[in-house]
Amino acid sequence: NAAKCFKMAEDLEPLVDEWYGLVRLGEWERIPGQLDLIKSHIGEMPPREEPARRATWVASLINPIPALGVAYEIRPALLMARDTITMLTVATEGIRLSIERLRQGKNPPKPE
């Protein structure tokens, strides 16, 4: 089970990189520098050896406050997860769905 958790946690890295690039390049930030602000609040991604922290970090990244509006809300599902594998599954599916929607441009327009 630990090996599966580490693998799932490791697999989040390229997804985070892709998501970050799509948000930045697609100009989805609602305020200038919002991604930098989010990262200053949540810090660096935890190591794969801390999979529950990494899953929580991903949820914090894609569902920040104030919201970016580029991902469905996954925090309640993550908090209700009974084990680390479920937490990682929620984080993985949340960021994958957000990436898919960002690629298609299916998010609300930025406020003027």
Side-chain angles (χ1 to χ4, degrees):
N1 231 4
K4 182 175 181 176
C5 284
F6 293 158
K7 175 71 171 117
M8 290 177 75
E10 186 173 24
D11 290 346
L12 283 169
E13 287 181 41
L15 295 173
V16 166
D17 291 341
E18 182 177 1
W19 181 89
Y20 193 88
L22 287 167
V23 170
R24 182 72 60 137
L25 293 174
E27 299 181 355
W28 288 102
E29 292 172 288
R30 292 188 174 186
I31 57 172
Q34 188 174 7
L35 283 177
D36 293 332
L37 178 63
I38 292 163
K39 288 194 99 176
S40 76
H41 289 167
I42 65 174
E44 295 299 317
M45 185 186 320
R48 74 180 190 104
E49 292 80 16
E50 297 179 38
R53 282 191 58 227
R54 184 173 276 204
T56 304
W57 185 91
V58 168
S60 298
L61 178 68
I62 70 173
N63 293 146
I65 297 173
L68 277 166
V70 298
Y72 289 112
E73 177 61 66
I74 66 168
R75 288 175 295 192
L78 187 95
L79 293 171
M80 294 295 294
R82 293 182 177 257
D83 56 43
T84 304
I85 289 177
T86 305
M87 292 175 74
L88 289 162
T89 300
V90 168
T92 300
E93 292 307 313
I95 199 167
R96 280 187 179 150
L97 184 56
S98 182
I99 287 169
E100 183 180 309
R101 293 177 60 81
L102 285 165
R103 286 179 183 158
Q104 297 171 3
K106 291 186 176 180
N107 287 295
K110 295 184 299 186
E112 295 292 323

